[in-house]
Amino acid sequence: MTPYVICHMLGSVDGRIKQNIWGLKDHHKYFEEPASKIKADAWLVGRTTMQEFSSKKNYKTEAVRANIPKEDFVAEQPVKKYAVVIDPSGKCYWDTNMVSTEHVIEVLSEKVSSRYLHHLRSKNVSYIFGGKDELNLDLVLRKLYKLFNIKTVRIDGGGHVNGSFLKAGLIDEFSLVLAPLADGTIGAPTVFEAEEGYGRRKATHFTLKSVKRIYNDYLWLRYLVVKNKKAQR
Ligand SMILES: NC(=O)c1ccc[n+]([C@@H]2O[C@H](COP(=O)([O-])OP(=O)(O)OC[C@H]3O[C@@H](n4cnc5c(N)ncnc54)[C@H](OP(=O)(O)O)[C@@H]3O)[C@@H](O)[C@H]2O)c1
């Protein structure tokens, strides 16, 4: 079993997601308020996005005598809502095992060191392995369901993590808050960063679930993913 996957993003009309030049006052609300209306057991982000929330301290991890086995670790803790990060090389460090009201789950590859696992255990941060070198995102979702009972997960970006779930065909729903502005920055991350150039991959199609005008000039678009679509329109 895998969780139902809803990807939620705030994007400019040209699909950019980094808000450096958007000049929005109170910019978090445009993402957070609609997000809070989507019922989910967990939110999941890429390593780059999570580093905005993880520790800013310069942790020097201690050498550990024994190797810590590369086995999933479910921390004992009372919370049943989760903040999940795709962090294959173990680059996020933690002062606590919570982000806001959610318990942190690190998704790792087997490349990570025992020192890093020791750090996570010392902070009681949960972790799961998604593959030896490369992550198998379907396996990651199955583990989130089985080990943490996560039935719905909201993927909150950035573009690379969204793109890899899109490419793997694992997104069920897409929720886009369309900001009334054009960014135009060449090379800035976009809503979905799946792969460079045109290969064999086909675009993912959606059907419209709902559309709502919010904050005067914003649109909140909710789409269902058309699964196994072969023919192009
Ligand atoms: N507007 C919005 O709604 C919104 C929402 C979220 C974020 N953002 C913005 O988006 C920007 C970051 O986006 P981003 O696309 O650069 O980064 P991202 O998706 O947050 O993180 C990318 C990193 O996550 C890891 N990763 C993701 N998918 C993986 C996979 N399938 N396998 C292995 N590793 C994977 C890799 O980490 P390693 O490099 O460590 O291997 C990768 O470099 C930030 O500026 C953030 O503020 C905007």
Side-chain angles (χ1 to χ4, degrees):
M1 295 282 277
T2 55
Y4 187 75
V5 177
I6 303 170
C7 177
H8 174 72
M9 290 302 281
L10 170 67
S12 64
V13 293
D14 51 346
R16 305 300 198 275
I17 57 170
K18 241 180 153 165
Q19 298 158 33
N20 299 30
I21 61 166
W22 293 10
L24 300 179
K25 246 212 280 167
D26 195 12
H27 64 99
H28 289 300
K29 80 169 182 187
Y30 302 103
F31 179 91
E32 293 295 345
E33 285 180 359
S36 69
K37 295 186 178 124
I38 298 172
K39 273 199 175 165
D41 307 303
W43 51 268
L44 177 153
V45 292
R47 189 267 307 164
T48 312
T49 301
M50 190 58 108
Q51 281 183 318
E52 294 166 18
F53 305 97
S54 62
S55 178
K56 306 291 177 286
K57 286 187 199 157
N58 188 11
Y59 270 95
K60 288 201 175 36
T61 51
E62 301 156 30
V64 283
R65 278 202 189 159
N67 275 345
I68 299 181
K70 305 280 164 73
E71 288 166 6
D72 302 333
F73 172 66
V74 180
E76 262 187 47
Q77 49 81 38
V79 174
K80 297 286 170 253
K81 295 276 179 199
Y82 302 94
V84 185
V85 55
I86 305 290
D87 184 14
S89 311
K91 293 180 185 164
C92 292
Y93 286 85
W94 297 98
D95 302 326
T96 147
N97 63 2
M98 302 290 288
V99 177
S100 179
T101 54
E102 288 82 49
H103 172 74
V104 177
I105 305 171
E106 282 266 352
V107 177
L108 307 171
S109 75
E110 292 179 25
K111 293 183 288 199
V112 296
S113 63
S114 283
R115 282 179 179 219
Y116 183 68
L117 297 181
H118 182 262
H119 165 73
L120 296 181
R121 285 189 177 234
S122 72
K123 300 295 173 187
N124 210 31
V125 169
S126 295
Y127 55 83
I128 57 173
F129 288 92
K132 218 168 165 33
D133 294 309
E134 308 240 307
L135 297 185
N136 174 340
L137 296 176
D138 183 59
L139 173 69
V140 169
L141 289 179
R142 279 187 273 123
K143 286 190 175 187
L144 292 176
Y145 191 100
K146 191 168 169 206
L147 299 176
F148 300 93
N149 200 30
I150 294 172
K151 297 206 168 86
T152 302
V153 60
R154 201 184 68 223
I155 298 183
D156 285 354
H160 283 93
V161 87
N162 295 347
S164 51
F165 276 91
L166 185 86
K167 191 173 170 185
L170 295 171
I171 297 179
D172 297 297
E173 214 177 301
F174 177 49
S175 159
L176 174 68
V177 177
L178 189 66
L181 53 93
D183 179 305
T185 308
I186 296 171
T190 62
V191 171
F192 293 107
E193 302 273 340
E195 70 185 29
E196 302 236 352
Y198 295 108
R200 290 163 62 84
R201 193 179 53 86
K202 298 285 183 211
T204 301
H205 289 243
F206 303 129
T207 53
L208 191 63
K209 181 178 171 187
S210 64
V211 57
K212 202 167 169 187
R213 187 174 177 166
I214 54 175
Y215 311 122
N216 294 326
D217 299 314
Y218 288 66
L219 290 179
W220 184 12
L221 300 154
R222 296 193 65 173
Y223 293 105
L224 296 174
V225 172
V226 178
K227 299 273 180 170
N228 303 321
K229 183 165 179 67
K230 289 204 181 89
Q232 295 296 293
R233 283 183 191 143

PDB file of all heavy atoms in Angstrom, residues 81-98:
ATOM      1  N   LYS A  81       1.904  13.221  13.175  1.00  0.00           N
ATOM      2  CA  LYS A  81       2.012  14.034  11.942  1.00  0.00           C
ATOM      3  C   LYS A  81       3.499  14.160  11.643  1.00  0.00           C
ATOM      4  O   LYS A  81       4.305  14.318  12.574  1.00  0.00           O
ATOM      5  CB  LYS A  81       1.411  15.431  12.157  1.00  0.00           C
ATOM      6  CG  LYS A  81      -0.077  15.414  12.418  1.00  0.00           C
ATOM      7  CD  LYS A  81      -0.844  15.360  11.115  1.00  0.00           C
ATOM      8  CE  LYS A  81      -2.338  15.311  11.424  1.00  0.00           C
ATOM      9  NZ  LYS A  81      -3.131  14.821  10.324  1.00  0.00           N
ATOM     10  N   TYR A  82       3.834  14.159  10.362  1.00  0.00           N
ATOM     11  CA  TYR A  82       5.245  14.013  10.013  1.00  0.00           C
ATOM     12  C   TYR A  82       5.721  15.050   8.990  1.00  0.00           C
ATOM     13  O   TYR A  82       4.954  15.484   8.121  1.00  0.00           O
ATOM     14  CB  TYR A  82       5.477  12.616   9.444  1.00  0.00           C
ATOM     15  CG  TYR A  82       5.076  11.530  10.415  1.00  0.00           C
ATOM     16  CD1 TYR A  82       3.804  10.959  10.369  1.00  0.00           C
ATOM     17  CD2 TYR A  82       5.951  11.108  11.408  1.00  0.00           C
ATOM     18  CE1 TYR A  82       3.422   9.975  11.280  1.00  0.00           C
ATOM     19  CE2 TYR A  82       5.582  10.122  12.323  1.00  0.00           C
ATOM     20  CZ  TYR A  82       4.309   9.563  12.249  1.00  0.00           C
ATOM     21  OH  TYR A  82       3.930   8.600  13.155  1.00  0.00           O
ATOM     22  N   ALA A  83       7.039  15.387   9.119  1.00  0.00           N
ATOM     23  CA  ALA A  83       7.749  16.225   8.152  1.00  0.00           C
ATOM     24  C   ALA A  83       8.841  15.350   7.550  1.00  0.00           C
ATOM     25  O   ALA A  83       9.757  14.943   8.270  1.00  0.00           O
ATOM     26  CB  ALA A  83       8.365  17.429   8.859  1.00  0.00           C
ATOM     27  N   VAL A  84       8.712  15.042   6.277  1.00  0.00           N
ATOM     28  CA  VAL A  84       9.612  14.067   5.645  1.00  0.00           C
ATOM     29  C   VAL A  84      10.562  14.810   4.708  1.00  0.00           C
ATOM     30  O   VAL A  84      10.134  15.691   3.964  1.00  0.00           O
ATOM     31  CB  VAL A  84       8.792  13.030   4.834  1.00  0.00           C
ATOM     32  CG1 VAL A  84       9.693  11.941   4.269  1.00  0.00           C
ATOM     33  CG2 VAL A  84       7.664  12.437   5.669  1.00  0.00           C
ATOM     34  N   VAL A  85      11.852  14.412   4.749  1.00  0.00           N
ATOM     35  CA  VAL A  85      12.815  15.056   3.844  1.00  0.00           C
ATOM     36  C   VAL A  85      13.551  14.004   3.030  1.00  0.00           C
ATOM     37  O   VAL A  85      14.019  13.000   3.562  1.00  0.00           O
ATOM     38  CB  VAL A  85      13.803  15.974   4.607  1.00  0.00           C
ATOM     39  CG1 VAL A  85      14.548  15.261   5.716  1.00  0.00           C
ATOM     40  CG2 VAL A  85      14.804  16.610   3.627  1.00  0.00           C
ATOM     41  N   ILE A  86      13.630  14.265   1.711  1.00  0.00           N
ATOM     42  CA  ILE A  86      14.410  13.404   0.816  1.00  0.00           C
ATOM     43  C   ILE A  86      15.845  13.924   0.863  1.00  0.00           C
ATOM     44  O   ILE A  86      16.147  14.981   0.298  1.00  0.00           O
ATOM     45  CB  ILE A  86      13.848  13.470  -0.629  1.00  0.00           C
ATOM     46  CG1 ILE A  86      12.357  13.124  -0.677  1.00  0.00           C
ATOM     47  CG2 ILE A  86      14.651  12.564  -1.560  1.00  0.00           C
ATOM     48  CD1 ILE A  86      12.001  11.692  -0.413  1.00  0.00           C
ATOM     49  N   ASP A  87      16.693  13.204   1.579  1.00  0.00           N
ATOM     50  CA  ASP A  87      18.039  13.696   1.903  1.00  0.00           C
ATOM     51  C   ASP A  87      19.042  12.541   1.718  1.00  0.00           C
ATOM     52  O   ASP A  87      19.589  12.022   2.696  1.00  0.00           O
ATOM     53  CB  ASP A  87      18.013  14.190   3.363  1.00  0.00           C
ATOM     54  CG  ASP A  87      19.319  14.821   3.808  1.00  0.00           C
ATOM     55  OD1 ASP A  87      20.166  15.138   2.952  1.00  0.00           O
ATOM     56  OD2 ASP A  87      19.493  14.988   5.032  1.00  0.00           O
ATOM     57  N   PRO A  88      19.291  12.131   0.448  1.00  0.00           N
ATOM     58  CA  PRO A  88      20.009  10.861   0.223  1.00  0.00           C
ATOM     59  C   PRO A  88      21.392  10.801   0.849  1.00  0.00           C
ATOM     60  O   PRO A  88      21.838   9.729   1.253  1.00  0.00           O
ATOM     61  CB  PRO A  88      20.100  10.773  -1.315  1.00  0.00           C
ATOM     62  CG  PRO A  88      19.855  12.152  -1.813  1.00  0.00           C
ATOM     63  CD  PRO A  88      18.929  12.795  -0.821  1.00  0.00           C
ATOM     64  N   SER A  89      22.086  11.947   0.925  1.00  0.00           N
ATOM     65  CA  SER A  89      23.463  11.909   1.448  1.00  0.00           C
ATOM     66  C   SER A  89      23.546  12.355   2.906  1.00  0.00           C
ATOM     67  O   SER A  89      24.658  12.460   3.448  1.00  0.00           O
ATOM     68  CB  SER A  89      24.363  12.816   0.610  1.00  0.00           C
ATOM     69  OG  SER A  89      24.194  12.557  -0.749  1.00  0.00           O
ATOM     70  N   GLY A  90      22.415  12.678   3.530  1.00  0.00           N
ATOM     71  CA  GLY A  90      22.430  13.085   4.940  1.00  0.00           C
ATOM     72  C   GLY A  90      23.077  14.442   5.140  1.00  0.00           C
ATOM     73  O   GLY A  90      24.112  14.566   5.798  1.00  0.00           O
ATOM     74  N   LYS A  91      22.440  15.480   4.577  1.00  0.00           N
ATOM     75  CA  LYS A  91      23.007  16.836   4.691  1.00  0.00           C
ATOM     76  C   LYS A  91      22.243  17.714   5.684  1.00  0.00           C
ATOM     77  O   LYS A  91      22.683  18.818   5.977  1.00  0.00           O
ATOM     78  CB  LYS A  91      23.020  17.509   3.320  1.00  0.00           C
ATOM     79  CG  LYS A  91      23.975  16.851   2.334  1.00  0.00           C
ATOM     80  CD  LYS A  91      23.955  17.559   0.983  1.00  0.00           C
ATOM     81  CE  LYS A  91      24.813  16.808  -0.031  1.00  0.00           C
ATOM     82  NZ  LYS A  91      24.530  17.225  -1.407  1.00  0.00           N
ATOM     83  N   CYS A  92      21.091  17.246   6.144  1.00  0.00           N
ATOM     84  CA  CYS A  92      20.325  18.047   7.113  1.00  0.00           C
ATOM     85  C   CYS A  92      20.707  17.622   8.530  1.00  0.00           C
ATOM     86  O   CYS A  92      20.700  16.431   8.841  1.00  0.00           O
ATOM     87  CB  CYS A  92      18.816  17.841   6.943  1.00  0.00           C
ATOM     88  SG  CYS A  92      18.153  18.501   5.418  1.00  0.00           S
ATOM     89  N   TYR A  93      20.992  18.595   9.371  1.00  0.00           N
ATOM     90  CA  TYR A  93      21.294  18.336  10.788  1.00  0.00           C
ATOM     91  C   TYR A  93      20.161  18.906  11.636  1.00  0.00           C
ATOM     92  O   TYR A  93      19.478  19.841  11.220  1.00  0.00           O
ATOM     93  CB  TYR A  93      22.657  18.930  11.156  1.00  0.00           C
ATOM     94  CG  TYR A  93      23.768  18.086  10.577  1.00  0.00           C
ATOM     95  CD1 TYR A  93      24.196  18.275   9.273  1.00  0.00           C
ATOM     96  CD2 TYR A  93      24.316  17.041  11.317  1.00  0.00           C
ATOM     97  CE1 TYR A  93      25.174  17.464   8.722  1.00  0.00           C
ATOM     98  CE2 TYR A  93      25.296  16.229  10.776  1.00  0.00           C
ATOM     99  CZ  TYR A  93      25.720  16.443   9.476  1.00  0.00           C
ATOM    100  OH  TYR A  93      26.677  15.617   8.942  1.00  0.00           O
ATOM    101  N   TRP A  94      19.986  18.307  12.807  1.00  0.00           N
ATOM    102  CA  TRP A  94      18.797  18.614  13.604  1.00  0.00           C
ATOM    103  C   TRP A  94      19.154  18.961  15.040  1.00  0.00           C
ATOM    104  O   TRP A  94      19.972  18.281  15.657  1.00  0.00           O
ATOM    105  CB  TRP A  94      17.846  17.403  13.572  1.00  0.00           C
ATOM    106  CG  TRP A  94      17.380  17.143  12.172  1.00  0.00           C
ATOM    107  CD1 TRP A  94      17.879  16.227  11.287  1.00  0.00           C
ATOM    108  CD2 TRP A  94      16.370  17.870  11.475  1.00  0.00           C
ATOM    109  NE1 TRP A  94      17.240  16.335  10.082  1.00  0.00           N
ATOM    110  CE2 TRP A  94      16.307  17.324  10.160  1.00  0.00           C
ATOM    111  CE3 TRP A  94      15.503  18.912  11.814  1.00  0.00           C
ATOM    112  CZ2 TRP A  94      15.422  17.804   9.194  1.00  0.00           C
ATOM    113  CZ3 TRP A  94      14.614  19.389  10.853  1.00  0.00           C
ATOM    114  CH2 TRP A  94      14.585  18.832   9.569  1.00  0.00           C
ATOM    115  N   ASP A  95      18.515  20.021  15.584  1.00  0.00           N
ATOM    116  CA  ASP A  95      18.626  20.343  17.012  1.00  0.00           C
ATOM    117  C   ASP A  95      17.526  19.616  17.775  1.00  0.00           C
ATOM    118  O   ASP A  95      17.618  19.383  18.972  1.00  0.00           O
ATOM    119  CB  ASP A  95      18.453  21.846  17.246  1.00  0.00           C
ATOM    120  CG  ASP A  95      19.492  22.644  16.469  1.00  0.00           C
ATOM    121  OD1 ASP A  95      20.623  22.149  16.322  1.00  0.00           O
ATOM    122  OD2 ASP A  95      19.153  23.752  15.993  1.00  0.00           O
ATOM    123  N   THR A  96      16.443  19.302  17.078  1.00  0.00           N
ATOM    124  CA  THR A  96      15.262  18.657  17.657  1.00  0.00           C
ATOM    125  C   THR A  96      14.703  17.724  16.591  1.00  0.00           C
ATOM    126  O   THR A  96      15.082  17.839  15.424  1.00  0.00           O
ATOM    127  CB  THR A  96      14.202  19.730  18.023  1.00  0.00           C
ATOM    128  OG1 THR A  96      12.900  19.185  17.853  1.00  0.00           O
ATOM    129  CG2 THR A  96      14.252  20.957  17.140  1.00  0.00           C
ATOM    130  N   ASN A  97      13.791  16.819  16.990  1.00  0.00           N
ATOM    131  CA  ASN A  97      13.217  15.930  15.971  1.00  0.00           C
ATOM    132  C   ASN A  97      11.868  16.442  15.456  1.00  0.00           C
ATOM    133  O   ASN A  97      11.079  15.673  14.908  1.00  0.00           O
ATOM    134  CB  ASN A  97      13.090  14.494  16.518  1.00  0.00           C
ATOM    135  CG  ASN A  97      12.135  14.413  17.691  1.00  0.00           C
ATOM    136  OD1 ASN A  97      11.529  15.409  18.092  1.00  0.00           O
ATOM    137  ND2 ASN A  97      11.994  13.218  18.262  1.00  0.00           N
ATOM    138  N   MET A  98      11.623  17.736  15.632  1.00  0.00           N
ATOM    139  CA  MET A  98      10.348  18.319  15.187  1.00  0.00           C
ATOM    140  C   MET A  98      10.581  19.507  14.257  1.00  0.00           C
ATOM    141  O   MET A  98      11.536  20.263  14.433  1.00  0.00           O
ATOM    142  CB  MET A  98       9.562  18.851  16.390  1.00  0.00           C
ATOM    143  CG  MET A  98       9.242  17.837  17.469  1.00  0.00           C
ATOM    144  SD  MET A  98       8.025  16.630  16.961  1.00  0.00           S
ATOM    145  CE  MET A  98       6.540  17.629  16.935  1.00  0.00           C
TER     146      MET A  98
END
